[in-house]
Amino acid sequence: MIRPVPTVAAMASYALADLGDPAAVSLAQNESAFAPSPRALAAAVADQALYPDPDWRDLRAAIAETHPVDPDGLLCGAGSMELIGCLIRAFAGPGDEVLGSQYGYLFVATAAQQAGARYVQTPEPRLRVEVDALLGAVTPRTRIVFVCNPGNPTGTRLPNAELLRLRAALPPDVLLVVDQAYAEFDDQDHAPVFALVTQGRTVVTRTLSKAYGLAGARAGWAACPPTIAAEIRKLLNPNNIPTLSQAMGAAALRDQDHMRAIVAKTAARRHALCDRLRAIGLEVPDSATNFLLIRWPDTPAAARADAALQEQGLILRGMRGYGLPDCLRATIGPEDAMARVAATLEQLS
Ligand SMILES: *Cc1c(COP(=O)(O)O)cnc(C)c1O
């Protein structure tokens, strides 16, 4: 019999959202409700016969024009998922521990398994990352600590001062990774977090999939200390981001006004939905993202709500995989879909 390696045989596949009927409205994957910048859509690429720029030069330039980062430490990936996977494989292997928080990004668990490392999680009793719990779980085997801020699926955010406190208290040989996939929706000044990168032990990841409305283009980036970038780079696929996606990404980054408009419109819809859900007694943590986590008093109530929403062709993300079976996660989507989500849940209450 042909056998895979034991770590792969023992793995489950990554649990993507079940999008059901293609005619349904997907509110399950936190994609933007708004189109990307018209400048991104107009990004013309003359020559598709050539391989893409393996150094993502124009994309990196656009990132450095708009963020306080050193272009030499920038890596670009086919989505930040590619970067997260390669980063874990570069810095953790069998016998090592990757530390994350209870409701941290599930893909980190998959990527740690792919690397043969152990994924350890600390509790989030208040649905937000607890820095002291992470610090208390560090062992001599800990290689990487992952914090998703703002968090997915909780939507909650940690003040940046807490991240600085975490970094200062972690052992110097532990790599801190801050996944900032939703940072554009969080109005904190992110410069202090980028400043950690220059100290040599922290990586910050970002994506164009959410606030820039380019999930289909597959483009993400990581601000790394240059020596760390060099190691991760060995594991990336060469020519990993298509020429067109690089051009679209650079154009979208250079249209910060459009991104800010997406963020503002998303926040207005999010506040409106949040108010209606809280008014019927549902628990909804404050969100600094483009989604809301909605909690029912018990799992059967959440299942009834999910069934009623699906009946209306509205697909939210079930949270069993995260250990929150009494919750659903709703991406902030089209205005009419938001109104239908609220009305459906009001009828059930
Ligand atoms: C959406 C998301 C990403 C981004 O993934 P891409 O591969 O860049 O599309 C990363 N981390 C978290 C927590 C996310 O929710």
Side-chain angles (χ1 to χ4, degrees):
M1 200 170 122
I2 299 172
R3 290 177 202 281
V5 296
T7 48
V8 173
M11 277 180 68
S13 300
Y14 181 60
L16 284 163
D18 178 3
L19 299 180
D21 178 352
V25 182
S26 166
L27 303 170
Q29 298 205 102
N30 298 344
E31 293 124 329
S32 174
F34 301 96
S37 164
R39 291 193 223 167
L41 295 175
V45 174
D47 201 343
Q48 289 287 353
L50 301 181
Y51 280 108
D53 179 358
D55 293 317
W56 326 282
R57 277 167 299 188
D58 191 44
L59 182 55
R60 280 195 298 130
I63 295 164
E65 286 160 25
T66 47
H67 300 79
V69 293
D70 170 8
D72 292 336
L74 284 176
L75 290 178
C76 299
S80 51
M81 289 174 105
E82 183 190 24
L83 297 166
I84 291 168
C86 292
L87 179 150
I88 293 180
R89 290 211 298 286
F91 292 96
D96 294 332
E97 289 174 1
V98 176
L99 182 59
S101 195
Q102 185 173 6
Y103 305 122
Y105 188 32
L106 263 190
F107 180 68
V108 174
T110 299
Q113 281 184 312
Q114 288 172 345
R118 202 162 89 86
Y119 185 47
V120 179
Q121 288 169 283
T122 57
E124 287 187 46
R126 296 183 291 167
L127 294 176
R128 50 165 261 184
V129 174
E130 302 283 343
V131 163
D132 292 315
L134 286 170
L135 289 170
V138 172
T139 74
R141 291 170 182 266
T142 307
R143 310 300 312 144
I144 311 173
V145 175
F146 261 92
V147 177
C148 184
N149 197 47
N152 175 14
T154 59
T156 61
R157 70 155 191 212
L158 215 51
N160 285 334
E162 282 289 279
L163 292 176
L164 303 197
R165 182 168 81 82
L166 172 64
R167 176 65 272 180
L170 282 174
D173 62 347
V174 170
L175 180 62
L176 174 64
V177 182
V178 185
D179 177 345
Q180 292 198 327
Y182 301 95
E184 293 84 2
F185 298 97
D186 173 3
D187 54 15
Q188 295 188 81
D189 172 15
H190 298 287
V193 178
F194 284 119
L196 290 177
V197 175
T198 57
Q199 295 170 17
R201 303 183 178 99
T202 302
V203 169
V204 176
T205 63
R206 291 273 184 123
T207 182
L208 298 179
S209 298
K210 309 287 163 54
Y212 291 92
L214 284 175
R218 308 309 297 130
W221 54 274
C224 309
T227 53
I228 289 186
E231 300 304 322
I232 298 170
R233 177 122 200 207
K234 295 176 188 170
L235 297 175
L236 292 178
N237 280 327
N239 304 112
N240 58 348
I241 309 183
T243 306
L244 184 57
S245 295
Q246 294 194 36
M248 291 175 85
L253 282 158
R254 291 187 173 116
D255 193 352
Q256 291 285 301
D257 288 346
H258 185 84
M259 181 275 286
R260 282 194 211 99
I262 289 183
V263 166
K265 287 185 279 189
T266 302
R269 271 185 208 175
R270 189 188 67 221
H271 284 300
L273 179 63
C274 183
D275 288 348
R276 282 178 75 173
L277 300 179
R278 284 180 180 168
I280 54 172
L282 296 173
E283 183 186 335
V284 185
D286 281 331
S287 168
T289 66
N290 66 345
F291 60 85
L292 289 171
L293 185 73
I294 310 167
R295 188 171 225 170
W296 279 264
D298 52 42
T299 301
R304 278 195 299 276
D306 197 16
L309 290 162
Q310 288 196 34
E311 187 81 8
Q312 298 292 317
L314 299 162
I315 310 297
L316 277 64
R317 185 71 172 261
M319 290 284 109
R320 269 171 212 282
Y322 280 94
L324 292 166
D326 52 350
C327 296
L328 296 174
R329 191 190 66 195
T331 302
I332 302 307
E335 188 101 69
D336 62 314
M338 297 295 94
R340 284 164 58 214
V341 167
T344 305
L345 297 181
E346 282 163 358
Q347 282 222 312
L348 279 181
S349 73

